[in-house]
Amino acid sequence: MNAEVRGEFERIHGLAPEGVWAAPGRVNLIGEHTDYNDGFALPMALPQTAVLAVRRRADGLLRLHSAQGDGRITELRVADLAPRTVSGWARYPAGVVWALRERGLPVGGADLHLDSTVPTGAGLSSSAALECVVAVAYEELYGLGLERPELARVAQYAENAFAGVPCGVMDQMASVCCAEGGALHLDSRSLEVRQVPFDLAGHGLRLLVLDTRVKHDLADGAYAALRAGCERAARLLGLPALRDLGEAELPRALGRLPARLVPLVRHVVTENARVGRAVERLESGEPEALGPLLTEGHVSLRDDYGVSCPETDLAVEAAVAAGALGARMTGGGFGGSVIALVRAGEATAVAAAVTEAFASTGFEPPAVLEAVPSAGARRIA
């Protein structure tokens, strides 16, 4: 894709780019809706990436073009960037430039051309990939001296304050910090990370991504309501965040909360514990033992957190019935994708079973991808 993106940049903008960068989407193995509660997560980067060709400008203009757009260039003045003033895909790269300037960093305009293979609306962090590829490119071009976790915070701030999505930092940390062949054990409070070996092929396993094609929009208010509920529960319990509540203390704590907050807290606390157990199993060389944790996590997301939907529930049920070791929805929810951990020889049968289940229910056929633990954001030319 590097040569194609360079060629398109020259065709659209008239000059060669200064460089080409890539940033991946991600799947989260376990640890969903924990990041904005200062908790733990275990994501891995995907082979699918957002690729960016960029050349700086001296006139303060930001000119954005996307291969997935309508063919037009979005032209903005950097000095005039402000939250909620840019719509569509352009709000993600524009938001990063704004967020860097909000930090007082000396960044200016640029010509950008983007192309992405990360499916949109599938719960695979296509927006974070767009943000992070701009962040790493600007960091290098302008010599900003920001470490990877700082770049992730910039990208998260862009999505929170500029695009209006109150997400945590897990997506952005995965996009910039993941390493090939591993999953990223993330502490969302300290931003400490640890690479955990995840050798699927060596253990005769594959991780399928089943995109239900149900599009989700995390800016529609439901995500914000969940986050607000968690933050209110933490305040009522006298805690900095729900991360500070352990499993042993959970029963007593739940008795002190309004009924509507009980399932939210139960999910966050048990999900944090599942992350710990998942890391133990990977580090002991037992990736197949992740299966039951995935399914257990899905039940919690479905029944306690309420972010599943009929399509994701059916994908999980059909995959497990067809022999998957475990499956769960991944991402913020309200649609998107399911991951299924399968033995390599059973991957085709599991994918076919899910497709058949969708057809018999009248759902649109799912798209099937394979998740291979891949590298984080990087310069590619």
Side-chain angles (χ1 to χ4, degrees):
M1 183 183 280
N2 168 27
E4 295 174 11
V5 170
R6 287 184 68 91
E8 278 297 284
F9 183 96
E10 292 188 35
R11 183 186 69 80
I12 294 158
H13 293 297
L15 292 169
E18 293 182 78
V20 183
W21 287 261
R26 65 95 191 95
V27 293
N28 191 22
L29 294 173
I30 201 77
E32 216 67 77
H33 291 276
T34 52
D35 57 351
Y36 55 78
N37 290 293
D38 282 1
F40 302 94
L42 191 65
M44 55 174 259
L46 290 169
Q48 289 77 16
T49 60
V51 178
L52 168 70
V54 58
R55 185 182 184 90
R56 287 169 291 180
R57 297 179 63 94
D59 59 2
L61 291 180
L62 186 63
R63 301 176 77 245
L64 307 168
H65 184 272
S66 170
Q68 286 71 49
D70 58 9
R72 293 182 293 183
I73 294 174
T74 298
E75 187 169 296
L76 306 164
R77 186 163 293 281
V78 170
D80 296 337
L81 292 174
R84 312 297 179 96
T85 60
V86 183
S87 60
W89 67 269
R91 69 190 190 269
Y92 299 111
V96 170
V97 178
W98 170 82
L100 289 168
R101 286 172 60 84
E102 284 290 290
R103 282 191 168 214
L105 296 168
V107 299
D111 288 333
L112 278 68
H113 170 64
L114 285 149
D115 196 354
S116 180
T117 56
V118 185
T120 60
L124 303 178
S125 297
S126 59
S127 60
L130 290 182
E131 294 156 359
C132 290
V133 76
V134 174
V136 296
Y138 258 70
E139 194 285 325
E140 184 172 339
L141 288 173
Y142 283 95
L144 302 178
L146 298 179
E147 298 294 331
R148 288 302 175 101
E150 293 178 275
L151 291 176
R153 283 291 192 206
V154 166
Q156 179 203 13
Y157 183 57
E159 188 148 351
N160 290 173
F162 195 90
V165 180
C167 65
V169 76
M170 184 266 291
D171 294 348
Q172 293 81 8
M173 284 292 290
S175 190
V176 299
C177 294
C178 277
E180 186 174 355
L184 189 79
H185 185 207
L186 168 66
D187 181 332
S188 297
R189 173 173 286 166
S190 68
L191 297 193
E192 291 179 7
V193 297
R194 185 157 52 96
Q195 305 294 341
V196 181
F198 191 36
D199 182 12
L200 286 162
H203 287 82
L205 301 172
R206 295 173 67 183
L207 187 69
L208 300 181
V209 180
L210 308 162
D211 177 4
T212 67
R213 302 182 191 270
V214 177
K215 302 300 182 185
H216 67 291
D217 184 354
L218 298 185
D220 67 1
Y223 189 98
L226 289 167
R227 179 168 182 165
C230 290
E231 290 170 349
R232 179 167 181 249
R235 287 194 301 271
L236 290 173
L237 294 171
L239 300 171
L242 292 182
R243 174 248 181 78
D244 299 295
L245 182 61
E247 261 193 311
E249 304 154 335
L250 183 59
R252 183 178 177 187
L254 294 182
R256 298 166 53 196
L257 293 171
R260 69 179 187 85
L261 297 181
V262 165
L264 300 186
V265 174
R266 184 166 53 225
H267 167 74
V268 172
V269 173
T270 58
E271 187 79 345
N272 274 323
R274 279 187 285 272
V275 173
R277 293 198 291 273
V279 170
E280 289 173 0
R281 291 172 192 187
L282 289 184
E283 290 185 328
S284 66
E286 302 175 281
E288 65 280 358
L290 284 179
L293 289 176
L294 300 184
T295 307
E296 183 183 314
H298 183 78
V299 171
S300 182
L301 288 162
R302 181 193 68 199
D303 296 347
D304 276 346
Y305 225 66
V307 294
S308 190
C309 67
E311 290 84 353
T312 50
D313 290 342
L314 179 60
V316 168
E317 293 163 10
V320 172
L325 299 170
R328 76 171 189 91
M329 56 149 280
T330 187
F334 313 106
S337 294
V338 161
I339 55 172
L341 183 67
V342 301
R343 296 178 182 87
E346 299 177 2
T348 300
V350 170
V354 174
T355 300
E356 183 179 341
F358 272 47
S360 66
T361 315
F363 294 154
E364 185 178 354
V368 182
L369 311 170
E370 183 171 0
V372 179
S374 301
R378 62 210 180 270
R379 184 170 186 155
I380 59 175

